[in-house]
């Protein structure tokens, strides 16, 4: 009795193991592996029985037509009791729902496996390609996608996961959809592969009623030719999945509410495809109102900064814009709203940086370590909002170089960065070359170079070949090639080198030389306004003439 029970039990277990090995991987099972150790896979087919004398079909054959199954049955010569639910190709064409919720582009983080047991066409399944060709199964879309279009294994898995029923459609049905894409946008095989890999659900859409209609609608609404439409769709493939009503609402927002032309709208969508995913009522309109009403921008100003940085319309008002602009700039740094507007107008990419991980650590370093006040740092930020383009590590590296390599004191570094915050964007090698060039051009010692740098910090960011050298050449010519006189003038007034050569230095030096005066007095007259300079020069000339006249009288006596 015990032996019979044992034999019966073993036979049952063996039957279950055989059944699982024949069925292959389904959701929650892997071939030859216990369910507890299995990895979740997409459901590839539904099984309602098992084979007696033949291997099980692949997921490839899950949606065969009756004609194909009958042809397969007649050639194999036996009746299988493997029942599979068939799907009608055209019945699965659908249109994307028009959702007003925030749409976030999701990255496909699915793990695609290279093992043979889980490939779309499993080698464990004994249907070879030759057998399938003989059975007329090359008409299935799987072979067309893999062999003719040349989609990769990973792309086939993506299609299996996101648009699995498309693999059971006939090749002619999928070809129609691909041909519509080709003809409407002049796409090549590479473009088609890229489109299907990124947006497999396009295969669910009807060739003319969905894909063709959407592309025609986009071409008409956005005034796009084939090349422009191609660039747009390749940048944002999900456009094809949206309903015409949804797309029309988005186009109307950019053209009617913001005042962009349809061409500008098309360029914006191509530059930042995520704009297509944003809901109009839940995202785009609230952000537009914040910039117009709360920040006080005009519509033309808003259009300008959106052209520079289209991502501005993607940031949450409550979680991004208000914390950065209101809480940080206005409340923490005591910055006036007018200055906040100017920062955004001059550098709209400021809003791209993370508040907690980037903006606040840099702010704390300037205020706590470099001992700037909140108002002083707000001035630095107002002068040069691109200070946030630098990492905290780079800023510390520049400060360390100025302190310990150049030999500046903490107060001198503080003045240097306050007057010319652009210095934090320079590499240490560039700073070294700039200081060396300054010394060679004007015969300065290390101490003298430090005095000039601290007095005129912007000299470190001026071009040597296009700015400093032409000024030095002209001053040498005006001073009669007297290098010592030029050096003395620079040490007396380092800001002399900060003025424009053509608009300020040359006209005033020539005015001084025309009156037969010493050119070194340029250090006194160059900071003045033009009216004050003219009055000062006239007085200087009259004074010298009076002295000359008195000297002549003394000689005659």
């Amino acid at each position: 009795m015990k032996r019979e029970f044992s034999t019966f039990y073993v036979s049952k277990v063996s039957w279950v193991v055989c059944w699982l090995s024949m069925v292959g991987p389904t959701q929650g099972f892997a071939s030859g592996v216990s369910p507890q150790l299995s990895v979740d896979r997409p459901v590839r087919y539904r099984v309602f029985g098992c084979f007696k004398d033949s291997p099980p079909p692949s997921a490839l054959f899950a949606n065969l037509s009756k004609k194909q199954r009958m042809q397969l049955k007649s050639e194999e010569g036996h009746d299988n009791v493997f029942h599979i639910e068939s799907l009608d190709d055209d019945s699965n064409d659908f249109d994307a729902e028009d959702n007003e919720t925030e749409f976030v582009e999701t990255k496909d983080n699915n793990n695609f496996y290279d093992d043979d047991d889980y490939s779309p066409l499993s080698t464990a399944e004994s249907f070879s390609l030759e057998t399938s060709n003989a059975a007329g199964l090359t008409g299935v879309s799987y072979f067309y996608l893999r062999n003719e279009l040349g989609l990769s294994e990973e792309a086939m898995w993506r299609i299996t996961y996101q648009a699995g029923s498309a693999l059971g459609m006939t090749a002619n049905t999928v070809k129609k959809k691909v041909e519509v894409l080709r003809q409407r946008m002049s796409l090549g095989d590479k473009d088609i592969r890229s489109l299907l890999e990124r947006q497999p659900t396009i295969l669910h859409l009807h060739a003319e009623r969905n894909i063709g209609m959407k592309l025609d609608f986009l071409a008409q609404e956005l005034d796009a030719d084939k090349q422009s439409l191609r660039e747009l769709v390749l940048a944002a493939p999900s456009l094809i999945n949206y309903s015409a009503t949804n797309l029309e609402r988005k186009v109307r927002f950019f053209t009617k509410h913001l005042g962009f032309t349809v061409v500008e709208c098309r360029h914006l969508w191509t530059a930042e495809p995520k704009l297509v995913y944003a809901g109009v009522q839940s995202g785009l309109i609230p952000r537009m109102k914040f910039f117009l009403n709360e920040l006080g921008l005009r519509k033309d100003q808003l259009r300008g900064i959106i052209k520079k940085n289209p991502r501005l319309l993607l940031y949450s008002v409550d979680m991004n814009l208000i914390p950065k602009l209101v809480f940080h700039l206005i409340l923490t740094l005591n910055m006036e709203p007018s200055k906040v507007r100017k920062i955004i107008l001059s550098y709209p990419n400021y809003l791209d940086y993370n508040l907690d991980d980037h903006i606040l650590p840099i702010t704390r370093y300037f205020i706590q370590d470099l001992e700037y006040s909140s108002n002083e740092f707000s001035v630095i930020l107002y002068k040069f909002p691109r200070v946030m383009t630098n990492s905290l590590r780079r800023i510390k590296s520049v400060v360390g170089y100025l302190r310990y390599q150049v030999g500046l004191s903490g107060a001198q570094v503080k003045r240097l960065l306050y007057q010319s915050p652009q210095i934090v964007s320079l590499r240490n090698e560039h700073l070294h070359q700039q200081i060396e060039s300054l010394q060679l051009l004007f015969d300065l010692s290390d101490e003298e170079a430090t005095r000039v740098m601290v007095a005129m910090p912007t000299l470190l960011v001026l071009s040597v070949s296009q700015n400093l050298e032409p000024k030095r050449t002209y001053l040498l010519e005006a001073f009669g090639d007297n290098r010592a006189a030029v050096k003395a003038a620079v040490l007396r007034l380092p800001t002399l080198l900060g003025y424009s050569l053509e608009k300020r230095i040359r006209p005033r030096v020539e005015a001084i030389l025309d009156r037969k005066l010493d050119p070194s007095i340029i250090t006194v007259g160059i900071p003045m306004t033009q009216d004050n300079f003219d009055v000062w020069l006239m007085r200087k000339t009259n004074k010298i003439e009076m002295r000359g006249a008195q000297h002549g009288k003394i000689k005659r006596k």
Side-chain angles (χ1 to χ4, degrees):
M1 180 68 179
K2 184 180 296 186
R3 180 168 185 153
E4 291 177 0
F5 177 77
S6 176
T7 304
F8 175 80
Y9 179 75
V10 171
S11 65
K12 290 297 183 183
V13 172
S14 301
W15 185 88
V16 172
V17 172
C18 291
W19 184 84
L20 289 176
S21 65
M22 288 190 297
V23 168
T26 58
Q27 188 172 13
F29 286 91
S31 295
V33 182
S34 62
Q36 290 80 2
L37 300 178
S38 65
V39 182
D40 287 341
R41 303 287 189 181
V43 178
R44 296 165 61 187
Y45 46 82
R46 299 183 179 94
V47 179
F48 298 98
C50 63
F51 283 91
K52 292 181 180 180
D53 303 314
S54 63
S58 164
L60 166 65
F61 310 118
N63 300 303
L64 300 182
S65 65
K66 286 185 178 182
K67 181 178 179 181
Q68 290 170 325
R69 285 203 298 272
M70 289 300 294
Q71 187 177 0
L72 179 62
K73 174 181 174 182
S74 63
E75 293 194 8
E76 293 297 330
H78 55 77
D79 187 11
N80 299 327
V81 288
F82 196 96
H83 306 286
I84 304 172
E85 294 181 349
S86 62
L87 295 176
D88 184 3
D89 293 344
D90 293 334
S91 65
N92 286 282
D93 298 324
F94 65 91
D95 197 357
E97 293 184 2
D98 184 13
N99 295 324
E100 271 302 335
T101 57
E102 285 288 327
F103 188 93
V104 180
E105 185 181 29
T106 57
K107 295 182 179 178
D108 189 7
N109 296 321
N110 298 306
N111 296 318
F112 298 103
Y113 299 85
D114 294 328
D115 56 295
D116 293 333
D117 290 339
Y118 296 106
S119 64
L121 181 59
S122 176
T123 55
E125 298 158 345
S126 60
F127 281 111
S128 64
L129 187 58
E130 291 78 7
T131 304
S132 62
N133 288 340
L137 295 177
T138 50
V140 178
S141 64
Y142 175 88
F143 291 103
Y144 169 71
L145 293 172
R146 192 193 65 173
N147 298 337
E148 293 191 36
L149 285 183
L151 292 179
S152 64
E153 183 83 2
E154 182 176 345
M156 295 304 298
W157 264 115
R158 189 186 297 272
I159 293 174
T160 302
Y161 186 77
Q162 297 185 16
S165 63
L167 295 179
M169 296 178 182
T170 62
N172 288 334
T173 300
V174 176
K175 280 182 181 179
K176 290 178 183 178
K177 301 175 184 182
V178 172
E179 286 306 313
V180 170
L181 294 171
R182 288 186 194 276
Q183 294 171 4
R184 295 294 206 284
M185 297 182 288
S186 300
L187 298 182
D189 287 345
K190 185 178 179 180
D191 297 328
I192 293 291
R193 286 194 294 271
S194 173
L195 202 61
L196 296 182
E197 286 173 4
R198 296 168 58 195
Q199 196 72 23
T201 52
I202 291 176
L203 294 172
H204 280 156
L205 304 178
H206 190 275
E208 290 297 336
R209 290 201 301 266
N210 293 116
I211 299 176
M213 185 188 70
K214 299 293 176 52
L215 295 178
D216 292 341
F217 173 82
L218 288 171
Q220 181 179 358
E221 286 292 316
L222 299 178
D223 191 22
D225 55 15
K226 286 187 177 182
Q227 180 62 25
S228 301
L229 192 60
R230 173 182 175 275
E231 294 175 358
L232 177 61
V233 173
L234 288 178
S238 61
L239 272 173
I240 302 177
N241 289 82
Y242 283 102
S243 67
T245 305
N246 193 312
L247 294 174
E248 185 179 5
R249 188 184 302 117
K250 288 181 170 67
V251 172
R252 189 167 59 250
F253 169 79
F254 284 95
T255 55
K256 301 298 183 183
H257 293 342
L258 289 178
F260 287 107
T261 64
V262 290
V263 176
E264 289 173 335
C265 177
R266 188 180 71 239
H267 290 330
L268 284 176
W269 287 8
T270 305
E272 183 49 67
K274 290 184 179 179
L275 287 174
V276 180
Y277 311 143
V280 175
Q281 295 296 332
S282 59
L284 296 175
I285 289 179
R287 292 158 198 163
M288 178 192 69
K289 288 182 177 179
F290 174 83
F291 285 111
L292 294 177
N293 301 335
E294 303 298 330
L295 202 57
L297 297 177
R298 301 190 307 270
K299 272 197 177 182
D300 61 319
Q301 293 175 328
L302 181 57
R303 286 195 298 272
I305 64 174
I306 290 174
K307 287 180 182 179
K308 293 180 181 178
N309 186 11
R311 290 187 297 273
L312 294 180
L313 290 176
L314 298 175
Y315 294 134
S316 167
V317 174
D318 295 330
M319 303 299 294
N320 196 310
L321 300 178
I322 290 178
K324 289 177 183 176
L325 299 180
V326 178
F327 295 155
H328 179 62
L329 293 182
I330 295 178
L331 298 181
T332 303
L333 299 181
N334 303 317
M335 190 176 290
E336 297 177 359
S338 59
K339 291 185 176 181
V340 174
R341 280 196 299 273
K342 289 183 179 179
I343 287 178
I344 301 304
L345 289 172
S346 63
Y347 188 60
N349 294 74
Y350 174 83
L351 291 170
D352 291 342
Y353 297 99
N354 185 277
L355 180 62
D356 295 325
D357 298 336
H358 189 79
I359 296 177
L360 289 181
I362 291 177
T363 302
R364 283 192 292 266
Y365 177 72
F366 273 88
I367 293 177
Q368 296 176 4
D369 295 6
L370 299 182
E371 298 180 350
Y372 288 100
S373 66
S374 297
N375 291 333
E376 288 173 335
F377 181 66
S378 68
V379 172
I380 291 175
L381 204 56
Y382 178 70
K383 286 181 180 178
F384 187 62
R386 285 177 175 81
V387 69
M388 290 300 171
T389 62
N390 302 283
S391 66
L392 182 58
R393 182 178 180 179
R394 174 178 287 277
I395 296 173
K396 288 182 177 181
S397 174
V398 171
V399 172
Y401 177 81
L402 294 174
R403 284 292 310 273
Y404 304 111
Q405 298 294 322
V406 180
L408 302 182
S409 65
Q412 289 174 328
V413 171
K414 185 177 178 180
R415 171 179 168 76
L416 215 64
L417 298 184
Y418 184 79
Q419 295 293 332
S420 181
Q422 299 93 330
I423 292 174
V424 299
S425 298
L426 302 178
R427 299 191 311 272
N428 295 346
E429 296 81 5
H430 181 83
L431 285 171
H432 178 72
Q433 293 175 1
Q434 199 78 358
I435 294 171
E436 266 194 350
S437 300
L438 195 61
Q439 289 180 290
L440 291 173
L441 287 174
F442 299 100
D443 302 323
L444 302 176
S445 64
D446 291 344
E447 183 180 351
E448 290 170 339
T450 299
R451 283 173 50 195
V452 171
M453 280 190 303
V454 174
M456 187 62 184
T458 55
L459 293 178
L460 294 177
V461 298
L462 296 178
S463 170
V464 174
S465 59
Q466 298 180 12
N467 196 306
L468 296 178
E469 281 186 357
K471 290 175 182 177
R472 179 242 191 191
T473 302
Y474 176 75
L475 289 174
L476 276 175
E477 181 184 346
F479 279 70
D481 204 25
N482 189 340
R483 297 172 66 91
V486 173
K487 175 182 176 180
V490 170
L491 288 175
R492 189 182 308 117
L493 186 70
T495 55
L496 172 66
L497 298 176
Y499 290 101
S500 169
L501 175 61
E502 299 300 329
K503 296 180 180 180
R504 197 72 170 255
I505 297 176
R506 189 189 298 273
R508 296 200 176 184
V509 169
E510 289 179 354
I512 292 172
L513 293 176
D514 289 343
R515 295 174 181 268
K516 310 298 182 184
L517 300 176
D518 184 0
S520 63
I521 65 173
I522 187 63
T523 56
V524 178
I526 201 164
M528 300 177 182
T529 63
Q530 187 61 45
D531 292 340
N532 291 339
F533 174 77
D534 293 338
V535 173
W536 170 80
L537 191 60
M538 184 177 296
R539 288 176 180 175
K540 195 78 174 174
T541 304
N542 294 336
K543 190 175 182 180
I544 291 176
E545 289 177 352
M546 289 176 61
R547 285 180 182 176
Q550 291 176 356
H551 185 68
K553 288 181 181 180
I554 293 174
K555 276 189 175 182
R556 284 195 296 272
K557 288 181 180 180

